[in-house]
């Protein structure tokens, strides 16, 4: 392969691939370098809740129509354990066909990759970037591929690697939640069609996302609690879940393979690097409480593509272009981080005063159409809506 390109995308996860697709009609020479084999990406156990706004973007990328095995969310039930306060968000109230969708990470990846094959972008699988140098003239990547070290020069390097490459050299700002999420597919005897549940509890939120015959569960707790959840046998897991979540969907009847993820908020430092930009989880890694991570990442990718396409070709990777991109993302990024972080911190405790105030706030949210619409729009479209 020629060792020069216009844009090198480090990380062929959903955000990096979405960017390559968003630039497919340009004449730019784009190379995507992905460390994992497709089989490894296919083993990723995460299920993602996509917002209606992300669906519209994936539609524009030509990806939506190819996604298989997707379930819709038309209602979201939000409640708090041990208080009466709860609220519902309904798609028809907000005049959208669906509030969101649930699908496995590999299904999204498969569809993005299928679409990428129809473009001129080069996708290198098993290409692990281990160094990125940049100066005023451009960026140079060093990567391992096929047992050898290679170099690639680019006018713009886009770091979409989930946050690994710069972890040690330019560490992100990290806020620890002291929580892990245990995820699994569960079934129950009274599923509620197209309804997602978000229940706040003192140990952290628990979400049930409707998927096929049951729900994808995201159950958060302290790291020690998560270890216990992984160790319990199925019967114990299901009965503890019932105690924790309640009877809203009847009895839980089965649980699939469980995995856990430590949760923390990571923000890339404000440092700017010549000819380099960070997007998706590499720029911000969020708690999954509001299902915002990929949704924000795909907006990063889309907005970066718009800034690139509306700029002069010679401006690719310039300080002015990168500043333009950062400016366009500032509001949505800060609002998304603040919203997600605020939800975790306000709800993950059992202080009696806060607990009753939250219960009242949840009930009120359901009764004040403006507030309800505001929250739902933020979740669906972000702050730039
Ligand atoms: C439990 C859990 C539940 C979640 N639920 C939701 C949800 O409901 N909705 C939502 O929107 N988001 C959710 N998220 C967040 C979502 O998974 C991420 O925001 C999204 O995957 C970010 O995509 P990305 O492409 O930026 O990074 P990643 O998905 O991390 O992809 C990065 C890619 O870069 C590759 N890579 C890494 N290092 C290198 C390197 N050196 N060289 C080359 N390639 C490299 C990796 O192999 C990987 O394929 C959840 C996250 C977790 C942990």
């Amino acid at each position: 392969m020629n060792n020069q390109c216009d844009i090198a995308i480090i990380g062929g996860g959903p955000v990096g691939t979405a960017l390559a697709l968003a630039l497919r009609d340009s004449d730019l020479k784009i190379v995507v370098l992905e460390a994992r084999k497709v089989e490894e990406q296919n083993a990723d156990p995460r299920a993602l809740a996509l917002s209606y706004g992300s669906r519209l973007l994936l539609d524009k990328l030509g990806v939506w129509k190819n996604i298989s095995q997707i379930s819709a969310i038309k209602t979201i039930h939000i409640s708090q354990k041990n208080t009466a306060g709860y609220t519902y968000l309904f798609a028809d109230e907000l005049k959208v066909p669906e509030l969101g969708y649930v699908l496995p990470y590999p299904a999204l990846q498969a569809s993005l990759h299928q679409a990428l094959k129809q473009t001129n972008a080069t996708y290198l699988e098993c290409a692990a970037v281990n160094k990125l140098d940049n100066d005023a003239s451009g960026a140079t990547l060093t990567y391992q591929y096929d047992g050898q070290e290679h170099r690639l020069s680019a006018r713009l390097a886009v770091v979409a690697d989930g946050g690994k490459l710069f972890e040690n050299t330019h560490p992100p700002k990290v806020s620890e939640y002291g929580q892990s999420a245990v995820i699994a597919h569960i079934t129950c005897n009274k599923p509620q069609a197209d309804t997602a549940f978000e229940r706040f509890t003192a140990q952290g939120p628990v979400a049930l996302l409707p998927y096929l015959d049951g729900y994808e569960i995201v159950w958060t707790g302290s790291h020690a609690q998560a270890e216990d959840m992984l160790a319990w046998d199925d019967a114990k897991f299901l009965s503890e879940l019932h105690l924790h979540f309640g009877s809203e969907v009847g009895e839980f009847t089965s649980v699939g393979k469980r995995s856990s993820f430590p949760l923390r908020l990571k923000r890339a430092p404000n440092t700017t690097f010549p000819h380099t930009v960070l997007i998706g989880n590499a720029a911000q890694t969020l708690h999954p409480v509001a299902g915002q991570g990929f949704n924000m990442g795909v907006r990063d990718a889309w907005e970066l593509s718009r800034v690139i396409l509306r700029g002069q070709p010679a401006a690719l990777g310039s300080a002015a272009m990168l500043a333009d991109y950062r400016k366009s993302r500032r509001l949505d990024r800060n609002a998304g981080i603040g919203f997600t972080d605020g939800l975790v911190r306000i709800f993950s405790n059992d202080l009696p005063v806060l607990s009753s105030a939250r219960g009242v706030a949840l009930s009120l949210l359901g009764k004040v159409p403006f507030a309800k619409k505001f929250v739902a729009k933020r979740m669906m479209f972000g702050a730039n809506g």
Side-chain angles (χ1 to χ4, degrees), residues 9-17 33-36 41 44 46-51 54 105 109 123 127-130 160-165 181 183 209 218 261-263 279-282 284-288 290-297:
I9 301 175
I10 304 167
V15 172
T17 313
L33 302 105
E34 168 53 48
R36 293 194 283 182
Q41 292 185 326
D44 198 308
R46 273 173 282 187
L48 300 177
L50 301 191
S51 65
S54 293
Y105 181 105
Q109 278 290 84
Y123 183 88
V129 176
N130 46 35
D161 69 336
K164 303 222 167 56
L165 190 61
I183 60 171
L209 306 171
V218 185
F261 290 81
L263 305 177
I279 62 171
N281 269 29
Q284 65 276 318
T285 301
L286 307 179
H287 191 292
Q292 290 292 300
F294 169 74
N295 293 307
M296 184 166 293

